[in-house]
Amino acid sequence: MDFNAYSSEVLEWLEGVRKNRGTDAEKTLMLCKNIRDYAREQDDEKLLGYAYYYSGETYYLLNDVDKLFRNLSCSLPYLEHSRQHGLLARAYNILAITSMNRGNAPFAMDYYLNARMYCEKYKLYDIGIIININIGMLYNNFREYRQAEKYLGQAYDLLQKNKEIPEYYSYLLNIYIGLGNSCFYQEEYMQAQEYALRAKEVCSGHLEELEQIAFACFEARLCNAMGKKEECDRNIAIVQKVSDTRIPILDIFDDLYAYSEMLLDTRKEEEFWKLVEVIEKMAREAKIIYMQKRILTLKIRYYKRQEKNREYLQACGLFFELSEILEKENKYIMTCILDMRYTLEETNHSRKKMEKENRILLEQSQTDALTGIPNRYRLEQHAQKVFEHAIAEKIPVAVEILDIDYFKQYNDNYGHQKGDLCICRVAKEIQKLAEKDDIFCARYGGDEFILIYEGYPREAVVILTEKLKRSIRDLDMEHAFSAAQHYVSISQGICYDIPDEDRTMKNFLQKADDLLYQVKEENRGGICIGSCR
């Protein structure tokens, strides 16, 4: 998205957001506020979408779910209307992750599919990779392994075609973890181990701390299932570092939860409680009730197994209270989503109406008002494309200029209305011919018309021009003031050749005009065809 037209102050704010996002949350939010305040004064949808998106992204990293949801929901109509499709897809992706962690899988899938649609439509391959990964992870959570592998496979294929993206190793690791989990849940441990080995071989030395923790969670579970105690313990030591790390809980909660289940099942109580305290604190700070409920299920399982009845009943009571809060929260979210959908529909309707009006204006600017066929402006655009293609492929082109014989006399004696009708009837016959593939027609001015034949043999062009001449003769329009015929006829000059750098549309047009002049001097109502040479 081009922002160069803005003032130096706005450009400084935008550059500040780009530099500080992900590293300095306070500064990023302050800059986003500056942009948002300015955009409201100017009623600038592009800047509003930008500011709301990056505010939402920052709150995502801060685990402030309510604020991220509000800001990203606000960003959607502005991003849609200002056609910032990359940020729009990213916003849908974050909303999907948030919805999944709030226990709303259907909403999450809806957001993911919206994001995927924009990625496919606008060829946003880098964003499309992570969308496919996340959809694959979602299917894994619901034990739909075939679907999971399908989307993860698509992510892998896209990634191999876009190896230059900065997130290459991060995305590749996530794909391997996703495919490994799919095998793990199906108890195909050897295949899961193969994915773990590939991840180590390719991605080691390229991963951030959060990614190392996610991989260690997966490998610890796998090693435990395969009875590799020492390797399992080594990975447990890596994961336990999460206690001292501030992490975006939405990015890694599922990994930590599955890992915590393993600790609980293997009775590693010290490690279990240390990790549960950390992720429970983050879930509370993020105010994500669904996460808190999931953590409570682990604690309830532990209390039941240890026969700690008092703690068990307290945890069950809290679980019930959280369930009631979650039900109210889901109703609120549904209302927000419906409001957001309505706003987006209104935005789409407004945008489509505007696009339709723009298309009509464009067509009007490229169409001859009298005849309805393309005008000189459209001719120049089309001719450029035809000649570029013909030069590259070394194929022939014919350019024809025709005009109505003694049209001035027709107009002067029958009147301008009859003259306009004559031009329209001739144009209609020309347009019928141009319905064939690779033939283009335009009104050049007055009673002159241009036809371009692309890739036709010379003999075919002659046949077609003869057919056009007969079709206009068959209109049987009386022209008592013509010195050529007693009916309306046309004269045609055609330049036929293979274009090159020295034989362009300009040369073809000049030659066709010369040939038309020759016809009018020697044989009105005739056809003359020649080359540029």
Side-chain angles (χ1 to χ4, degrees):
M1 180 60 68
D2 184 15
F3 289 97
N4 290 328
Y6 289 103
S7 68
S8 58
E9 184 179 34
V10 174
L11 291 175
E12 190 176 327
W13 292 337
L14 295 169
E15 182 60 25
V17 170
R18 283 190 285 269
K19 283 183 178 178
N20 291 285
R21 57 181 284 258
T23 56
D24 190 333
E26 185 178 353
K27 192 166 186 179
T28 303
L29 291 172
M30 180 192 71
L31 291 166
C32 285
K33 183 181 183 302
N34 291 343
I35 296 168
R36 195 164 57 246
D37 291 345
Y38 173 84
R40 285 200 187 105
E41 289 177 7
Q42 303 297 319
D43 195 24
D44 189 315
E45 292 183 327
K46 184 161 70 170
L47 289 179
L48 280 170
Y50 184 96
Y52 274 121
Y53 170 77
Y54 281 109
S55 294
E57 182 193 70
T58 303
Y59 285 122
Y60 174 84
L61 298 173
L62 292 174
N63 297 328
D64 194 330
V65 172
D66 286 339
K67 288 181 181 177
L68 90 81
F69 192 86
R70 283 199 299 273
N71 278 273
L72 291 180
S73 296
C74 286
S75 78
L76 295 180
Y78 296 123
L79 293 173
E80 169 73 34
H81 208 247
S82 58
R83 306 182 73 78
Q84 297 182 76
H85 299 122
L87 294 186
L88 188 60
R90 292 183 186 277
Y92 274 123
N93 181 50
I94 295 175
L95 286 169
I97 294 169
T98 308
S99 296
M100 189 61 198
N101 281 290
R102 279 179 145 174
N104 295 309
F107 295 160
M109 182 59 81
D110 188 52
Y111 285 133
Y112 280 138
L113 293 178
N114 271 315
R116 194 169 187 267
M117 179 269 292
Y118 282 104
C119 291
E120 290 179 346
K121 186 174 181 179
Y122 298 104
K123 297 180 171 45
L124 308 171
Y125 300 121
D126 54 337
I127 310 170
I129 294 165
I130 194 62
I131 301 299
N132 280 317
I133 291 172
N134 288 343
I135 294 175
M137 300 292 194
L138 182 59
Y139 274 117
N140 259 344
N141 285 343
F142 290 96
R143 306 301 189 253
E144 294 285 344
Y145 305 119
R146 186 170 296 179
Q147 286 291 91
E149 289 164 3
K150 169 188 164 185
Y151 282 98
L152 291 164
Q154 289 176 0
Y156 181 83
D157 292 341
L158 266 178
L159 186 62
Q160 295 314 303
K161 294 175 184 175
N162 296 273
K163 290 185 176 182
E164 72 286 353
I165 63 173
E167 303 89 351
Y168 176 80
Y169 292 104
S170 174
Y171 288 172
L172 187 60
L173 176 76
N174 277 285
I175 291 169
Y176 283 142
I177 290 176
L179 291 169
N181 270 323
S182 182
C183 296
F184 177 87
Y185 292 132
Q186 297 175 80
E187 298 183 2
E188 296 172 356
Y189 299 133
M190 294 303 294
Q191 184 60 53
Q193 186 180 43
E194 179 63 30
Y195 286 122
L197 291 172
R198 285 190 212 172
K200 274 185 178 178
E201 181 182 346
V202 180
C203 302
S204 290
H206 299 281
L207 303 179
E208 301 291 334
E209 185 174 14
L210 186 65
E211 292 154 353
Q212 293 173 16
I213 291 169
F215 182 66
C217 284
F218 165 67
E219 197 170 25
R221 291 163 50 233
L222 179 60
C223 291
N224 176 67
M226 298 180 74
K228 297 181 178 181
K229 186 178 181 303
E230 288 185 9
E231 290 183 42
C232 178
D233 289 342
R234 189 161 56 249
N235 282 288
I236 287 173
I238 295 172
V239 180
Q240 292 310 113
K241 293 178 183 178
V242 76
S243 305
D244 304 316
T245 308
R246 178 76 181 186
I247 60 170
I249 188 66
L250 295 170
D251 275 344
I252 201 171
F253 180 78
D254 283 337
D255 301 280
L256 293 175
Y257 183 82
Y259 168 80
S260 298
E261 284 187 306
M262 183 270 293
L263 293 178
L264 181 61
D265 292 339
T266 54
R267 299 179 182 271
K268 294 184 181 293
E269 295 181 7
E270 183 181 345
E271 293 87 349
F272 169 77
W273 280 108
K274 186 178 179 183
L275 183 61
V276 163
E277 285 175 7
V278 172
I279 59 177
E280 187 173 39
K281 180 184 176 185
M282 287 191 286
R284 282 177 182 162
E285 289 176 351
K287 300 176 183 177
I288 305 177
I289 304 301
Y290 182 70
M291 280 186 184
Q292 295 175 48
K293 280 185 65 179
R294 291 184 72 189
I295 296 165
L296 263 179
T297 60
L298 295 175
K299 294 168 77 173
I300 288 169
R301 282 172 54 193
Y302 172 81
Y303 293 139
K304 185 176 181 181
R305 188 175 69 194
Q306 296 296 322
E307 296 183 352
K308 295 187 175 184
N309 293 329
R310 186 170 61 85
E311 291 89 344
Y312 172 79
L313 291 173
Q314 285 178 341
C316 287
L318 180 56
F319 187 89
F320 176 76
E321 290 175 13
L322 291 177
S323 298
E324 287 190 318
I325 296 170
L326 185 60
E327 186 177 349
K328 292 177 183 176
E329 183 183 86
N330 285 339
K331 288 178 181 177
Y332 169 73
I333 293 172
M334 176 61 80
T335 302
C336 291
I337 288 172
L338 290 174
D339 288 343
M340 182 175 63
R341 280 295 176 83
Y342 176 77
T343 303
L344 284 172
E345 286 299 318
E346 288 290 301
T347 300
N348 283 330
H349 176 72
S350 174
R351 178 175 56 79
K352 287 175 182 177
K353 183 180 178 183
M354 183 177 67
E355 288 175 350
K356 183 180 179 181
E357 289 171 352
N358 288 340
R359 281 196 303 272
I360 291 170
L361 289 172
L362 181 62
E363 287 171 6
Q364 288 174 344
S365 70
Q366 296 181 346
T367 303
D368 178 60
L370 177 63
T371 62
I373 68 174
N375 60 14
R376 194 166 182 164
Y377 173 73
R378 177 81 180 280
L379 168 69
E380 291 171 0
Q381 286 187 319
H382 184 80
Q384 183 178 353
K385 292 178 183 177
V386 167
F387 273 75
E388 285 176 357
H389 180 249
I391 290 169
E393 300 297 325
K394 295 180 171 54
I395 58 175
V397 171
V399 175
E400 173 183 357
I401 301 182
L402 66 87
D403 67 10
I404 301 171
D405 294 323
Y406 297 102
F407 181 72
K408 184 179 185 304
Q409 289 79 356
Y410 188 97
N411 216 29
D412 290 345
N413 288 280
Y414 290 105
H416 292 293
Q417 286 187 334
K418 282 287 185 71
D420 287 349
L421 180 60
C422 175
I423 287 174
C424 287
R425 293 187 70 183
V426 170
K428 189 174 182 180
E429 295 305 310
I430 294 170
Q431 197 169 23
K432 287 178 184 176
L433 182 64
E435 288 174 356
K436 292 180 178 294
D437 290 338
D438 302 321
I439 299 178
F440 175 84
C441 72
R443 186 182 179 196
Y444 199 53
D447 63 312
E448 280 192 325
F449 296 87
I450 304 285
L451 288 100
I452 300 177
Y453 306 78
E454 183 182 4
Y456 283 82
R458 181 186 173 102
E459 297 77 14
V461 173
V462 172
I463 291 169
L464 290 167
T465 53
E466 289 280 3
K467 180 181 177 183
L468 177 60
K469 184 174 78 169
R470 287 195 304 273
S471 70
I472 291 169
R473 164 66 187 87
D474 292 342
L475 293 173
D476 205 22
M477 286 189 287
E478 181 187 6
H479 189 352
F481 306 95
S482 171
Q485 314 284 348
H486 293 300
Y487 47 80
V488 170
S489 61
I490 59 172
S491 295
Q492 298 159 271
I494 304 110
C495 176
Y496 182 91
D497 215 322
I498 296 176
D500 58 29
E501 298 302 329
D502 298 321
R503 286 184 284 274
T504 63
M505 177 64 179
K506 182 180 178 181
N507 305 114
F508 273 66
L509 206 55
Q510 182 60 56
K511 183 64 176 180
D513 196 44
D514 292 343
L515 294 168
L516 175 62
Y517 181 78
Q518 184 179 327
V519 170
K520 292 165 79 169
E521 285 288 305
E522 299 173 0
N523 180 29
R524 292 256 186 171
I527 299 172
C528 188
I529 185 168
S531 75
C532 273
R533 301 172 195 276

